[in-house]
Structure formats: C-alpha cells, structure tokens
Amino acid sequence: SGQPADFILQPKRQEDEPPDGVMGAGLEGGKLVLASSHHVFFWNTFPITNDQKPDMMLGVQRTRDESLIMPYEYVWYNDTFAFPYYAELVNNRLIVADTNNNRVLIFNEIPKLPDAKADVILGKPEIFLSRKSYGSGPLPFSDGKRLIVGVDGIGVWIYNKIPDENHAEADVIVGKLLGSTTIGGYAFIAGEKLVMVHREGSNVFIWNQMPEEDDK
C-alpha cells in the first residue's frame, strides 16, 4: 500500500498549457492511447519515463462558428472530438467514445495523421434513443469480433460484428426498467458472458450467455 508510481504521464495540447484532462486509456501490442478533453494521444511504444512525448495527437479543434450552421444545428465532423471519455485499440482499430457528441467513432486502422477522419460513425447526435442513437455518454468495448456500447442509466447496445457503416443499427439492446430505474452502464464481454456495471444501483449484472433478444 502507498507505493508511488514509477512515473506520471501528463499529455498536453501545448507546452505552455496545463495537462489536457485524461479521461481513459487503451493498450494493444505495446501501443498506448489516452483520451483527453479534446484529443486522443498516441505512443507507438509504451512509455518508460514521464518526459516521453506522445508520437501523435489526434483530433482537429474547431471554433463554435465553424461548427454552428444554424441556431441549435451543428456540423458533426468525423475528425473532431468533444470530451472523449474512452479510447480502445483492438485488432489495429481505434475505437473512441466521443462522449459529448453522443457517438462512437471507429478508425479501421491506427491513424497516421493528426487530422485523420473516422471511417465509421455510430450514434446520431439526437435527443431521442433508437437502435442507432444512444443518448448521452456511450462507452464502447470490443472483443475483436463484436462491439458493445454501454450507456450509463440507459442500456447496452450489442453489435454482433464491429460495424463497417455509419449509423449502423444494434442487433440487440439490453436495458429494462426496474421500478423507475433503467438498467444500463459500461459493459464488456468475457467469453460468452456479458458483464454490465450499473452505477446508479451499485450493481453488476452478468449474463452467462450473450443476449439474443432485446431487454432479456
């Protein structure tokens, strides 16, 4: 207990700015990815010191005027993040929870340029829910074959394969009412089990087999 870390990473957009608010991390094949306030930082090899700079900072920053085209109507760019809370590397893909835009972005290969555009956009920036719209704060997980998107207090969207088209519809949605509470939250796959963390109820729900029907 109490053993200090060997070193601390503090990714920054600019050297003269404070650290950029790390939200989540992913690791595969020695590559490290960190999601921050508006960017995703990459290390091509796992860092070994606190002064090892990232090899790339992914994400184009735009002003409000560049995005706003009408009152309450925006352009949704596929190379721009708004508070991405999570990023994952799986089979040389990058999957990013673009949290404040209520969507998940999939890059079919590890981006090589900071202005790389996502190949697939899941979710639509709508205020209602559907088989292809999550509401607020989606968190993705993939076992390399399937994609799971959990949304806190709303449900879990299950794709039987990693989608290759924009706004793809989920195959199964799990999320049912217990009294006045909707079950939903971050979820992951363990073999054929589905494990979901329901923060509001302080519960962990486990399905021994992946659900094949909604609300099961």
Side-chain angles (χ1 to χ4, degrees):
S1 296
Q3 180 175 334
D6 294 297
F7 60 93
I8 299 172
L9 296 174
Q10 292 186 308
K12 299 179 179 182
R13 293 189 297 178
Q14 303 289 339
E15 281 301 317
D16 58 349
E17 291 184 349
D20 196 28
V22 175
M23 308 289 185
L27 178 67
E28 183 182 65
K31 295 181 174 67
L32 176 67
V33 56
L34 299 180
S36 70
S37 297
H38 298 287
H39 298 280
V40 173
F41 294 90
F42 280 95
W43 284 261
N44 292 327
T45 58
F46 195 84
I48 57 175
T49 64
N50 59 3
D51 58 357
Q52 187 169 336
K53 305 298 183 186
D55 295 292
M56 186 175 62
M57 182 177 69
L58 180 66
V60 176
Q61 289 297 283
R62 291 185 168 87
T63 65
R64 183 174 183 273
D65 289 341
E66 289 178 289
S67 300
L68 187 66
I69 56 176
M70 292 181 65
Y72 308 110
E73 187 171 340
Y74 291 81
V75 176
W76 303 94
Y77 296 98
N78 58 350
D79 56 8
T80 300
F81 309 120
F83 286 86
Y85 277 13
Y86 187 74
E88 183 169 37
L89 296 170
V90 55
N91 294 345
N92 208 41
R93 286 185 175 96
L94 170 66
I95 303 176
V96 178
D98 190 18
T99 306
N100 277 18
N101 284 333
N102 299 340
R103 60 185 186 170
V104 171
L105 302 181
I106 299 176
F107 298 80
N108 288 335
E109 60 181 23
I110 303 300
K112 297 179 174 62
L113 298 172
D115 59 351
K117 295 176 171 56
D119 297 290
V120 178
I121 300 173
L122 298 178
K124 300 176 68 175
E126 301 164 340
I127 61 172
F128 59 88
L129 304 178
S130 70
R131 300 194 80 82
K132 55 185 178 181
S133 178
Y134 308 121
S136 178
L139 283 172
F141 173 86
S142 176
D143 62 354
K145 299 181 297 182
R146 297 165 291 199
L147 178 68
I148 306 296
V149 178
V151 184
D152 195 21
I154 297 179
V156 178
W157 278 247
I158 300 172
Y159 299 84
N160 290 331
K161 69 180 186 70
I162 298 177
D164 55 9
E165 61 181 28
N166 292 334
H167 311 309
E169 294 188 356
D171 296 291
V172 178
I173 300 175
V174 177
K176 61 190 301 184
L177 289 174
L178 288 183
S180 60
T181 302
T182 306
I183 302 303
Y186 175 69
F188 63 92
I189 303 169
E192 287 302 313
K193 291 181 170 63
L194 175 67
V195 182
M196 183 190 68
V197 178
H198 182 230
R199 179 178 59 87
E200 294 178 19
S202 299
N203 296 315
V204 176
F205 288 77
I206 300 173
W207 289 260
N208 286 329
Q209 297 292 325
M210 288 293 296
E212 298 180 354
E213 299 179 47
D214 289 2
D215 297 331
K216 294 296 185 181

